[in-house]
Amino acid sequence: MVLFSLVATHADIDLETVAQLSNGASGIATSALSGSPAVTGAIVLATCNRYEIYGEAPHADDVEAARAALVSEISGLSGLNEQLVSRSFSTRTGPEVSQHLFAVSAGLDSAVVGEREIAGQVRRALITAQHQGTASSGLVRLFQAASKTAKDVGAQTALGSRGLSIVSVALDLATDLSESPDWSAKKVVLFGTGAYAGATMALLRERGCTDISVFSSSGRAEAFVATRGGTALDSESLPVAVAAADVMIGCSGSDTRVEAGELAEIRADSPQPLIAIDLALTHDFDPEVGQLDGVELLTLESVRLAAPQEQAESLTQASGIVSGAAQAFEQEREARSVDSAIVALRRHTMNVLDAEMERVRARHGCTAAAEEVEFALRRMVKQLLHVPTVRARELAANGQQDDYVSALETLYGITVEQPATAAQAECPVDHRGLETA
């Protein structure tokens, strides 16, 4: 089995294209698995500035077919033509897959280097894929190792020790633009009720903000504020709250967005300036909002440009941890790839031994002599299997496991069968109740 990934991020393409590609992201893994035998597993990682699909294919020769199937599905769901979709994604295979995901999970590939949210998004992507039945055993191990690497980076380095995140940098920018830095006196309207909105609410509370109103086009505002505080808004009370707001923050990415003309009308009689922070990948606020008098618009691009650079020493240390973890993962994965071959060789050898012992017992009975012969033969077989087993691990570590399997087939006529990669093989836990947690 071969791991691969399709990656589209803020580093390579504009955020608007990333947002368009992400349309229908929740269903891409399921549709790809059902539509192409070249895709045996898939996990989707979609965040505010990246859209990445991690997949597993039966063989290296199937990766291109798997990529084509995913590109076709993304094109159909996003409405973008296949050529544009194909150009937007870079493809990674082999060690590049783990190296990239581990760096992403540790926050090394983020607009705000060392940010905390991405590690949680990686964990949730795995849980979602397991719930949908699209996470192959190889992908489960990959994402679990990525989460462990993120924890190691957080525990062993000073990277992100200041608690920087996309939200915190955006709030810092808003503070600099405000006439007063005192958040306790500000009225905030928050759009969205997801994990991103929850993180924003928590950071607003940390800064002393108490007047927070929440709107959700899906009607989940009441449940959101019930556990976090704040005031729930509906479509009728939203205009009044926006008219009185000092800050409005978009975290929903819903199909409904605040248009510039609509906002101008709502705030026609508002004396105070407004700072609009749009953190949604698909834009909660019309970009023309920033052209209105008295309105300052902050976007993900603003955050990226303003994000401080972490200390070089911490970055070097974190990069070393990521590289070491990726190398260890690849070595373990290669070693696993010959497990079936080792088992097949042992089974073949032990079957030969058992057959010979049956003939010994048939001739001499279950005597002490027969037992001594069996003991000696089993000990000899164990010693004979030691070197081939060690060599199998060594060859796998060098990427030569196929040579080992071919040798077994040539010398002994052994056919090595790979185990089925059931989506939940690595995790028997029912994750259906864990997504909200």
Side-chain angles (χ1 to χ4, degrees):
M1 307 300 288
V2 178
L3 299 180
F4 66 92
S5 62
L6 273 62
V7 176
T9 75
H10 63 95
D12 303 311
I13 59 177
D14 62 277
L15 292 173
E16 189 65 36
T17 302
V18 175
Q20 290 178 294
L21 291 169
S22 300
N23 289 335
S26 61
I28 187 67
T30 302
S31 60
L33 258 70
S34 62
S36 173
V39 183
T40 57
I43 297 179
V44 175
L45 177 61
T47 73
C48 62
N49 56 5
R50 72 178 64 250
Y51 183 33
E52 303 184 358
I53 303 168
Y54 292 80
E56 189 163 17
H59 193 271
D61 295 339
D62 297 311
V63 171
E64 190 55 41
R67 185 188 195 280
L70 286 164
V71 166
S72 177
E73 292 290 343
I74 294 169
S75 174
L77 291 170
S78 66
L80 300 174
N81 67 68
E82 290 193 18
Q83 290 77 16
L84 175 59
V85 173
S86 183
R87 289 197 306 270
S88 299
F89 285 99
S90 61
T91 306
R92 289 172 169 80
T93 57
E96 291 182 345
V97 177
S98 56
Q99 178 73 33
H100 177 73
L101 179 59
F102 291 6
V104 167
S105 186
L108 302 187
D109 194 58
S110 297
V112 178
V113 176
E115 59 132 332
R116 299 173 299 179
E117 287 105 337
I118 186 63
Q121 290 165 332
V122 169
R123 289 194 299 272
R124 288 193 291 275
L126 172 58
I127 290 173
T128 298
Q130 288 178 312
H131 174 66
Q132 294 177 342
T134 65
S136 64
S137 57
L139 290 172
V140 170
R141 287 192 291 271
L142 174 68
F143 272 69
Q144 288 175 340
S147 293
K148 181 182 182 302
T149 302
K151 290 180 181 178
D152 290 343
V153 169
Q156 299 175 33
T157 76
L159 192 67
S161 59
R162 287 177 290 165
L164 291 176
S165 66
I166 289 175
V167 177
S168 66
V169 172
L171 295 183
D172 287 342
L173 286 173
T175 301
D176 294 340
L177 291 172
S178 299
E179 295 178 354
S180 169
D182 184 9
W183 281 88
S184 65
K186 297 185 189 302
K187 298 181 191 302
V188 177
V189 174
L190 178 64
F191 291 76
T193 54
Y196 213 14
T200 302
M201 174 75 88
L203 286 174
L204 286 170
R205 295 290 193 200
E206 287 180 12
R207 293 172 185 242
C209 185
T210 57
D211 192 340
I212 306 172
S213 301
V214 180
F215 175 76
S216 170
S217 59
S218 60
R220 292 194 287 261
E222 286 283 358
F224 183 85
V225 301
T227 56
R228 296 174 176 84
T231 302
L233 301 173
D234 56 24
S235 57
E236 293 184 1
S237 57
L238 177 62
V240 176
V242 169
D246 300 293
V247 180
M248 65 179 191
I249 305 174
C251 299
S252 71
S254 65
D255 295 334
T256 304
R257 72 177 185 177
V258 177
E259 299 295 337
E262 179 186 10
L263 182 63
E265 183 178 347
I266 290 174
R267 293 188 58 86
D269 299 323
S270 300
Q272 79 278 19
L274 173 69
I275 298 176
I277 305 174
D278 194 349
L279 301 179
L281 184 58
T282 53
H283 295 311
D284 280 338
F285 310 140
D286 178 0
E288 294 300 317
V289 160
Q291 304 301 316
L292 299 177
D293 291 338
V295 178
E296 290 282 355
L297 176 63
L298 299 176
T299 64
L300 288 168
E301 183 63 17
S302 307
V303 172
R304 187 183 68 81
L305 294 174
Q309 294 295 318
E310 295 291 332
Q311 294 182 358
E313 182 179 349
S314 296
L315 276 174
T316 300
Q317 187 180 5
S319 297
I321 294 173
V322 166
S323 296
Q327 183 178 4
F329 174 81
E330 288 301 320
Q331 289 176 344
E332 180 184 357
R333 192 174 70 83
E334 296 292 359
R336 281 177 177 270
S337 67
V338 295
D339 284 350
S340 296
I342 293 172
V343 169
L345 176 60
R346 288 177 176 172
R347 182 183 297 116
H348 170 81
T349 307
M350 296 310 295
N351 286 342
V352 172
L353 172 61
D354 290 340
E356 187 60 31
M357 285 308 304
E358 284 298 322
R359 284 192 286 271
V360 170
R361 293 189 191 97
R363 179 177 300 180
H364 302 287
C366 295
T367 62
E371 290 180 0
E372 289 182 11
V373 170
E374 181 174 4
F375 177 79
L377 286 176
R378 291 192 181 278
R379 185 175 180 181
M380 181 183 68
V381 166
K382 183 178 179 181
Q383 292 175 342
L384 288 173
L385 288 173
H386 175 70
V387 172
T389 300
V390 171
R391 287 293 294 152
R393 303 292 187 193
E394 292 173 348
L395 290 169
N398 293 326
Q400 297 176 274
Q401 60 274 15
D402 289 345
D403 293 344
Y404 186 84
V405 171
S406 296
L408 291 185
E409 293 177 348
T410 302
L411 294 174
Y412 299 102
I414 297 174
T415 300
V416 178
E417 297 181 358
Q418 295 295 331
T421 56
Q424 299 293 339
E426 288 291 312
C427 187
V429 177
D430 184 351
H431 291 276
R432 286 173 292 182
L434 297 180
E435 286 184 298
T436 54

